[in-house]
Amino acid sequence: MMKSQTWTIFLLSCLLYPQPVISKKVTYYGDQVLKITPKTPTQSLYLQALTRQWRLDLWKPDSVEDIYMDREIHVRVPSTYVQHMKENLDQQKVPFKIMIEDVQKLIDNSLASRSRTKAISLETYDYDVYHPMDEIYEWMEQIKDKHSDVVSHHLLGNTYEERTIEYFKVGLPSKKTKKVIVMDCGIHAREWISVAYCQWFVKEILAKYKSDALLNKLLKQVDFYIVPVLNVDGYIYSWTNDRLWRKNRSPQNGTCFGVDLNRNFDVKWGELGASTNCLDVTFCGPSAASELETKGIVRLVEQHKPNILMYFSMHAYAQLILLPYGYTMQPSENHDEMDKVAKEAVAKLKLVHDSTYYVGPASHILYSTSGTSGDWAADIGIKFSYSYELRDEGEYGFELPADEIQPTCEETFASMLSMFEYIDKQYLGPLDDDDKDDDDDDDDDDDNDGNGAVAITSLWINMLLSFAVCIYCALIN
Ligand code: ZN
Ligand code: ZN
């Protein structure tokens, strides 16, 4: 009698507290990334068909329909297909080169260079290595503790896997309404350099705002809202299970996972350069703004909309500064000004390490996209919306070696400073006397840490209960 009751409880607990699925780590031994340039319309169609049929992982462009004649594509070919693929390309006389000989080797090398000592203090935090999420959470805590006079940190929302998405507000107190600049990083999980840049950016402005006149004035007149990792679940998954994961981790109709957050925004959602098939890397989700991460950004932006002057979305790779729009060839209302500012910025960028970046609307210089955060921000009226595609141009792609983090961040920061100089001249005006001696605390506190704490607690309870059930299960067997 007792026995059957306990069994019922056990079964119930199993249903209520599902055991974490221990998923296998994806490896890429022998996979190659090929650079292929179709030379005729027939070859383009052939490549499209092959990519679809074998579900190849396109690194450039994002979606199959954007494979065009005379435009180089980068595609990862699984080891089992490599030989066959090359034979096919030779047969069809499609020119190709090998970009990456062995994807897994490159992944292993890049992680081997990482020192295994866990970052514990800000003083020793390495900005030129890639950091896993737990270190970034820890870093955020320490940043806001150390710089509590200029930094506060807040909850953007929770992810599907019940982790917190956090952001910084960086700015000095002011009696006047401040302008706002928003930056999202890590919207695509595998683009680690984007996440590294956000950390660099925060470090840099905090280190320099006291001595640098421009940054000092900026922090008095502008609040930066910086999301170092938007796609937290995806980012973690790219560390633990699949280095080349791009989407978030929300389950779709029971069989597959993940929505491409940069196709999920409510701007011509699902129309161009986005897939409605969950197996694809550009899957736009079941509906516009369906994802928690998207909702978080929308909430933050709506809240500060009248004051937001700039929106940045950070990506890799291609070395581009993209202007709106991806969904139409039509220029945005503010196109000429945005274009001018970005072109000055890439000129400044080039001076640092001689990198070449191109500027233009995504639909012109990249490919068609819809549902991106950059286009969404532009369409709701934010004057300057830029999406960066950071290094490189196609040597390592998503596997950008750690020793390129610092130069990438330095040049990118220089380009942003150039934009801020312009913004300062045209939109900020001189400082008031009020702002010169700031002692007044502003208390527009939208810190929702309470909710975050609750979420974390419930996650722990859930895990502890699962654990208890496990032990129980082992004991009665
Ligand atoms: Zn906080
Ligand atoms: Zn991206």
Side-chain angles (χ1 to χ4, degrees), residues 2 4-15 469 472:
M2 193 61 203
S4 81
Q5 255 176 12
T6 36
W7 264 107
T8 316
I9 291 168
F10 164 67
L11 285 173
L12 258 173
S13 347
C14 281
L15 287 172
V469 169
Y472 176 71

Side-chain angles (χ1 to χ4, degrees), residues 141 144 152-155 167 445 447-449:
E141 285 299 322
K144 68 112 202 245
S152 52
H153 98 304
H154 308 271
L155 188 74
Y167 66 94
D445 217 303
D447 197 325
N448 291 321
D449 272 10

Side-chain angles (χ1 to χ4, degrees), residues 173-175 220 431-440:
S174 167
K175 290 191 183 88
K220 282 174 178 159
L431 284 175
D432 298 350
D433 290 337
D434 273 5
D435 287 324
K436 281 176 186 152
D437 47 309
D438 46 71
D439 44 348
D440 219 21

Side-chain angles (χ1 to χ4, degrees), residues 130 193 391-392 395-396 400-409:
Y130 296 111
I193 184 64
R391 286 194 193 187
D392 52 20
E395 194 184 349
Y396 300 102
L400 188 73
D403 61 14
E404 286 198 48
I405 296 175
Q406 181 173 343
T408 305
C409 292

